[in-house]
């Protein structure tokens, strides 16, 4: 357990402890954020995606870059990018073992993601 990066989210009613390497993506849902894990668990937290993005940046300061904001709707785990299909506006995330997720993403957001991945060589 010592080698894992944990994300702790504490509210009045809940405490979530999530292994950040097991997060597939975050999805905006109004003033809420859905967190989708590689084991298909999904939980909703009472904060906007922008606030979640700030929490992740603070938590990962000086560490390996795990996540990237993709358009207005998603923050994705960069280690799970399997396919970027510009024509179909589709991003496929996979843990390369058991799960995969197909997300509809704007062409502009996919183009920026593709450039980021090529630049950083994730």
């Amino acid at each position: 357990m010592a080698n894992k990066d944990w994300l702790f989210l504490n509210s009045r009613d809940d405490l979530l402890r999530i292994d950040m390497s097991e997060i597939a993506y975050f999805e905006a849902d109004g003033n809420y954020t859905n967190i989708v894990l590689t084991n298909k668990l999904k939980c909703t937290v009472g904060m906007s995606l922008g606030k979640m993005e700030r929490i992740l940046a603070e938590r990962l300061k000086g560490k390996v870059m795990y996540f990237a904001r993709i358009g207005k709707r998603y923050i994705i785990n960069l280690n799970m990018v399997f396919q970027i299909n510009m024509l179909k506006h589709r991003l496929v995330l996979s843990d390369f073992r058991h799960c995969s997720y197909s997300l509809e993403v704007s062409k502009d957001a996919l183009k920026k993601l593709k450039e980021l991945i090529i630049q950083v060589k994730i």
Side-chain angles (χ1 to χ4, degrees):
M1 273 190 359
N3 294 335
K4 294 187 179 190
D5 281 323
W6 295 101
L7 176 64
F8 291 90
L9 299 170
N10 189 17
S11 71
R12 186 188 75 195
D13 300 323
D14 287 316
L15 170 66
L16 292 172
R17 184 185 79 145
I18 305 169
D19 177 356
M20 296 208 322
S21 67
E22 297 297 323
I23 298 170
Y25 64 94
F26 299 86
E27 181 179 21
D29 186 8
N31 290 328
Y32 295 89
T33 297
N34 297 317
I35 304 170
V36 180
L37 306 177
T38 59
N39 64 4
K40 306 281 186 180
L41 279 176
K42 180 179 175 181
C43 57
T44 303
V45 294
M47 69 179 69
S48 69
L49 194 63
K51 184 172 181 182
M52 180 62 72
E53 185 177 24
R54 289 187 296 277
I55 288 171
L56 289 171
E58 182 181 299
R59 175 69 177 91
L60 292 172
K61 189 180 286 185
K63 293 189 178 185
V64 175
M65 183 174 64
Y66 280 110
F67 301 100
R69 178 81 181 250
I70 306 301
K72 295 178 181 179
R73 192 169 173 194
Y74 298 106
I75 298 172
I76 63 159
N77 183 334
L78 292 168
N79 294 317
M80 292 190 63
V81 173
F82 171 69
Q83 180 186 35
I84 297 171
N85 188 313
M86 304 289 270
L87 293 175
K88 294 182 180 178
H89 301 254
R90 185 177 66 207
L91 171 64
V92 178
L93 302 175
S94 176
D95 71 351
F96 304 98
R97 293 181 311 252
H98 303 103
C99 77
S100 67
Y101 299 95
S102 182
L103 308 175
E104 189 173 322
V105 181
S106 73
K107 187 175 183 177
D108 186 50
L110 289 176
K111 183 178 177 184
K112 289 176 184 173
L113 174 60
K114 190 174 176 183
E115 290 169 0
L116 174 67
I117 288 175
I118 290 169
Q119 176 186 11
V120 178
K121 295 179 183 168
I122 296 170

